[in-house]
Amino acid sequence: QVQLVESGGGLVQAGGSRRLSCAASGSIFSINAMAWYRQAPGKQRELVATIASGGSTMYADSVKGRFTISRDNAKNTVYLQMNSLKPEDTAVYYCNTIVTTTARVMTNYWGQGTQVTVSS
């Protein structure tokens, strides 16, 4: 069993900052990659940022230069530092990971989602 627990969402004013955390636990052999997605009301879920096991990162153009994805391998945790927040960033943010379980099965998992609301 693998569980992803997200935290850090909440209300923040435009121009402010927020840091999201996603901690993975359970029957994990290795974490292949972790990512953050977001979904705003009436919109499709979009990929925000990814980080591979080797540390390489990718960002959506809409957040490039403002958001930073990072990881703490010892804690099996991925973070999303969000700076210069805009009302358009308002969404439910989801952590996603592709892990190899202790049974040596590659499996995709989703966090429960954490809501970020940016006020103008």
Side-chain angles (χ1 to χ4, degrees), residues 33-40 43-52 56-64 66-67 69 78 80 82 89 91-98 108-110:
M34 302 188 82
W36 288 97
Y37 290 75
R38 68 184 182 186
Q39 187 167 23
K43 303 291 185 180
Q44 289 187 294
R45 187 171 299 183
E46 66 172 334
L47 180 62
V48 176
T50 65
I51 185 165
S56 61
T57 59
M58 186 282 297
Y59 298 93
D61 288 341
S62 59
V63 306
K64 195 171 300 180
R66 301 188 297 119
F67 290 11
I69 188 170
V78 63
L80 185 67
M82 305 182 293
D89 296 318
V92 177
Y93 285 72
Y94 297 91
C95 177
N96 177 267
T97 184
I98 298 175
N108 180 270
Y109 291 93
W110 288 93

Side-chain angles (χ1 to χ4, degrees), residues 6-120:
E6 301 179 32
S7 62
L11 178 64
V12 61
Q13 66 181 21
S17 299
R18 200 83 179 182
R19 189 180 74 155
L20 307 182
S21 299
C22 176
S25 62
S27 303
I28 300 171
F29 178 79
S30 63
I31 297 178
N32 301 88
M34 302 188 82
W36 288 97
Y37 290 75
R38 68 184 182 186
Q39 187 167 23
K43 303 291 185 180
Q44 289 187 294
R45 187 171 299 183
E46 66 172 334
L47 180 62
V48 176
T50 65
I51 185 165
S53 59
S56 61
T57 59
M58 186 282 297
Y59 298 93
D61 288 341
S62 59
V63 306
K64 195 171 300 180
R66 301 188 297 119
F67 290 11
T68 302
I69 188 170
S70 61
R71 72 187 191 281
D72 185 333
N73 291 333
K75 297 180 179 180
N76 287 145
T77 300
V78 63
Y79 304 94
L80 185 67
Q81 178 66 47
M82 305 182 293
N83 299 325
S84 301
L85 282 162
K86 306 174 181 179
E88 305 90 88
D89 296 318
T90 296
V92 177
Y93 285 72
Y94 297 91
C95 177
N96 177 267
T97 184
I98 298 175
V99 308
T100 300
T101 69
T102 53
R104 306 300 193 272
V105 177
M106 188 175 293
T107 309
N108 180 270
Y109 291 93
W110 288 93
Q112 81 279 8
T114 184
Q115 184 162 341
V116 175
T117 302
V118 184
S119 61
S120 60

